[in-house]
Amino acid sequence: LYETYRLAQEYYSENMKHPQKGEAARAYLAKRGFGEDVWKEFSLGWATPEWRGLFEFLVRRGIKDTVIFRSGLVQRAAEGHPYDLFRGRLLFPICNLQGKVMAFGGRGLGEETPKYLNSPESAIFRKRRELFGLHLAKRSLSSGDFRILIVEGYFDFLKVYTSGFKNVVA
């Protein structure tokens, strides 16, 4: 599952960098006050509106269908066809304490419902047990200051972290 999420992050990051595919996501981030340095530092990604882009990418990389579906990144339609869970969303990788991607938080850029969509729970991800950015905040604890700032969401985290407060989680 970790390898599947690592490859998914690679796919989403490449979409973000792509001149045409990632244009809407980069423009949205710029509107929110975040430049290329931020989306690169935090490995933000873009899930294109394609229905099977990630699925086909993972299959080409040798990931078995059973693992892909177990990851929750790809779902099955009622007819049995696979479809990517995240489509047309800006993606925030959620990492464990070791910095391995184990889930994503996806932000729709328009009127999508829901506005935010998280990876479903899996063998490696339990939403109630995770804090976004904890793998980064733990570095600041080594200086002897054991305080952590807790903010509500991904963008709040980015704003606080990039303002110099590295002991933040969302």
Side-chain angles (χ1 to χ4, degrees):
L1 287 176
Y2 285 115
E3 178 65 6
T4 302
Y5 270 89
R6 186 191 69 74
L7 288 170
Q9 176 57 44
E10 178 183 310
Y11 172 77
Y12 295 137
S13 289
E14 287 304 313
N15 287 342
M16 179 70 107
K17 295 174 195 172
H18 191 276
Q20 290 82 34
K21 288 182 184 180
E23 186 176 8
R26 292 189 309 271
Y28 181 82
L29 284 168
K31 186 175 84 175
R32 300 282 305 252
F34 301 107
E36 181 177 349
D37 57 328
V38 171
W39 58 261
K40 283 185 174 180
E41 179 178 357
F42 296 98
S43 301
L44 303 185
W46 172 244
T48 65
E50 297 174 70
W51 284 88
R52 294 171 44 116
L54 176 64
F55 177 75
E56 291 169 2
F57 174 84
L58 292 172
V59 167
R60 284 193 310 271
R61 292 297 192 274
I63 304 297
K64 295 180 181 178
D65 288 11
T66 55
V67 176
I68 295 171
F69 290 114
R70 222 178 41 202
S71 75
L73 293 170
V74 176
Q75 308 283 310
R76 282 199 190 278
E79 305 83 28
H81 304 291
Y83 68 91
D84 296 352
L85 176 65
F86 297 109
R87 294 178 314 281
R89 290 180 180 273
L90 176 63
L91 293 175
F92 297 82
I94 301 170
C95 299
N96 65 13
L97 278 173
Q98 292 75 40
K100 292 181 180 180
V101 178
M102 63 178 165
F104 291 99
R107 167 63 158 95
L109 304 187
E111 299 300 317
E112 292 85 2
T113 303
K115 183 189 301 186
Y116 284 95
L117 180 65
N118 289 314
S119 294
E121 293 197 350
S122 70
I124 61 172
F125 175 64
R126 298 283 184 259
K127 185 177 177 184
R128 290 186 183 110
R129 294 185 179 176
E130 304 302 333
L131 293 168
F132 180 75
L134 186 58
H135 68 293
L136 300 172
K138 77 175 188 175
R139 296 177 193 162
S140 70
L141 300 179
S142 63
S143 66
D145 184 1
F146 298 108
R147 293 177 291 181
I148 291 184
L149 304 170
I150 301 172
V151 297
E152 183 179 5
Y154 305 116
F155 284 103
D156 300 325
F157 170 90
L158 291 177
K159 193 57 88 176
V160 172
Y161 191 95
T162 59
S163 294
F165 298 93
K166 308 300 186 197
N167 59 332
V168 63
V169 297

